[in-house]
Amino acid sequence: MRGRGKNSAMVAAALCASILGGTGAVAAEATQEAAGNLADGAPIQAITLKAANGISARILSYGATLQSLKAPGRDGTVADVLLGYDDLAGYVDHPNYFGVTVGRYANRIAGGAFTLDGKTYRLPLNDKTNSLHGGGKGFDKQAWKVVSIKSGPVASVVLSLLSPDGDSGYPGTLAATVTYSLDEAGNLTIAFEAKTDKPTIVNMTNHAIFDMAGEGSAAGAMGQLLTIPASAFTPVDEKLIPTGELRKVDGTVFDFRAPRTVAQGLRDGRDRQIVVGRGYDHNFALDKGVTATPQLAARLEDPASGRVLEVLSTEPGVQFYSGNFLDGTLVGKQGHLYRMGDGIALEPQKFPDAPNQPAFVSARVDPGKPYRHTMIYRLSVAR
C-alpha cells in the first residue's frame, strides 16, 4: 500500500503540472505536526502545504479532511475560504462534513440498500430513510494513515485507509488513498484511488464548504457568482433521492450556465425543487460527462475580494449544496456561528443513488480495475 501511495502522489503531481503548467523554480513546502489524539488514543496529524504566492492548504489525517484553504484577495489580504473548525475536537464532537473525504459512497443511497450481482446489501440509515456519505461511520470519521509528505515544485501528502469487507455494509476489502498536491501557482489537486478484492461500489469526493469572501464573512456566500456548465440536473423526491429524470435547466432557477448570484432563486418557492431541497441540494449533470483529465465543474467568484475558485473534475456530476442545514447551532472557526447561506458545497461525484438508477453512470468497481477520481481547486483573483 505504501508503494502504491507514493506512486499515486507522483501521478497526481504530474497531472497537476501538466494541466496547470506549473514549471517555475519556486518550491511549495509541506510540513507536518501533531493535531491531537482520538478517544482510542490514535494520533492525528496535520499537514500544511504552502505555495510561494500565499495559498496554503491544511489537511488533517482524521477523515482525510481539508481543514483550511487560504488564498489572497485582490488587495493581497489572505483569508481562509473554508467553513470548519479550529481544532480536531470540533470535527470529532460536532461532525458536519466540513472539508472531509466522503466515502465509500458520497451522497444518498435510497433506503440504505443496493443490489449487486443479485445480492442486496444493507447500509446504515443516517439520513432518515437513506444512507448518506457512507453511513454512520464513513471515511470522514476514521483515522487515515499518513503514507508520505513531500516538498518541491509540487508539495503533496498521501493518506491511506483500509476499509474491511462488510464495513458499514459495503462488500469487498477496499484499499483507498487520497493525495493532496499543491503546485507553485497554488492549485490544489485531490486524487482519490481505491482498489477492491470483490465487486463493490465507490464514489469519493471532498465536502468542502466555501465562502470566497472568507469564512464567517458578514454576507456569507449568497452574493457570490456561481457558474455550473450543466444543461440538466437530477430532480429529487421528498426524500432528496433523484427521480431518475434528467431535467433541462432552461428557464429554471437551476440554470447556472452563465454566472449569477447564489441567492438568485434560492428562496423561489414557485419551484417545487427549491421547496423540497430547502434551497439548492441537487446534482448537476455536467455537459462534459466523464473525462480522462479534470475539466470545469463549477466556478465561484466573490466580486468584493476578487477571489475565484474553479472546481475541476473527471466525474460526470457536481452536487451544489447551499448550506441549507446550517441552522446557527454550530460554532466554527474563530467563534463564528454558521447559518444557512454562510457557505456552499460544490462536490464533484457520480450521481446520487446511482447503484439503484441503471440509467446513471455506474459506480461499480471490480478487482483489477481501480476507482480513480481526480479533482482540482484552482484559485485565482479577478482584477
Side-chain angles (χ1 to χ4, degrees), residues 350-365:
K350 297 286 194 306
F351 293 179
D353 199 37
N356 295 314
Q357 305 269 2
F360 290 172
V361 174
S362 176
R364 180 184 178 121
V365 178

Side-chain angles (χ1 to χ4, degrees), residues 54 62 145 219 249 259 270 296 322:
Y62 179 71
K145 179 182 179 181
V249 300
R270 295 169 298 180
L296 187 67
S322 51

Side-chain angles (χ1 to χ4, degrees), residues 6-21:
K6 290 181 179 179
N7 184 59
S8 296
M10 294 172 62
V11 170
L15 179 59
C16 183
S18 67
I19 293 172
L20 303 170

Side-chain angles (χ1 to χ4, degrees), residues 28-153:
E29 183 183 16
T31 58
Q32 178 176 323
E33 62 182 341
N37 296 79
L38 300 181
D40 63 2
I44 300 300
Q45 300 297 310
I47 300 90
T48 300
L49 309 179
K50 187 172 184 179
N53 62 356
I55 294 176
S56 65
R58 179 179 167 94
I59 297 100
L60 296 177
S61 60
Y62 179 71
T65 298
L66 182 59
Q67 183 183 17
S68 74
L69 185 60
K70 296 180 178 179
R74 191 182 292 113
D75 64 358
T77 301
V78 174
D80 185 353
V81 299
L82 297 187
L83 275 62
Y85 300 109
D86 290 320
D87 55 24
L88 173 64
Y91 293 91
V92 175
D93 298 336
H94 306 287
N96 202 69
Y97 302 111
F98 292 131
V100 301
T101 293
V102 287
R104 293 188 187 188
Y105 198 92
N107 220 310
R108 295 174 175 88
I109 294 181
F114 67 95
T115 299
L116 193 64
D117 295 335
K119 182 177 179 179
T120 298
Y121 296 90
R122 304 286 177 182
L123 313 174
L125 301 179
N126 62 326
D127 180 53
K128 297 181 180 178
T129 59
N130 305 318
S131 185
L132 175 66
H133 296 327
K137 190 177 181 181
F139 288 179
D140 59 299
K141 297 178 179 68
Q142 301 190 45
W144 291 60
K145 179 182 179 181
V146 178
V147 178
S148 66
I149 64 170
K150 182 175 68 174
S151 299

Side-chain angles (χ1 to χ4, degrees), residues 96-250:
N96 202 69
Y97 302 111
F98 292 131
V100 301
T101 293
V102 287
R104 293 188 187 188
Y105 198 92
N107 220 310
R108 295 174 175 88
I109 294 181
F114 67 95
T115 299
L116 193 64
D117 295 335
K119 182 177 179 179
T120 298
Y121 296 90
R122 304 286 177 182
L123 313 174
L125 301 179
N126 62 326
D127 180 53
K128 297 181 180 178
T129 59
N130 305 318
S131 185
L132 175 66
H133 296 327
K137 190 177 181 181
F139 288 179
D140 59 299
K141 297 178 179 68
Q142 301 190 45
W144 291 60
K145 179 182 179 181
V146 178
V147 178
S148 66
I149 64 170
K150 182 175 68 174
S151 299
V154 177
S156 65
V157 57
V158 181
L159 303 111
S160 68
L161 179 71
L162 189 65
S163 176
D165 186 19
D167 188 13
S168 292
Y170 290 89
T173 298
L174 196 76
T177 62
V178 179
T179 302
Y180 287 90
S181 305
L182 185 69
D183 75 355
E184 299 157 345
N187 303 281
L188 183 67
T189 298
I190 309 176
F192 306 94
E193 183 172 317
K195 297 187 294 182
T196 183
D197 61 357
K198 68 170 64 171
T200 191
I201 59 169
V202 183
N203 183 31
M204 296 171 65
T205 193
N206 186 276
H207 199 289
I209 298 183
F210 293 95
D211 176 2
M212 297 309 292
E215 68 80 30
S217 70
M222 294 299 94
Q224 294 167 24
L225 298 171
L226 176 63
T227 308
I228 302 177
S231 301
F233 74 104
T234 53
V236 295
D237 63 18
E238 299 288 340
K239 297 178 180 178
L240 299 181
I241 296 296
T243 63
E245 176 190 359
L246 288 179
R247 184 176 298 177
K248 295 295 185 182
V249 300
D250 300 78

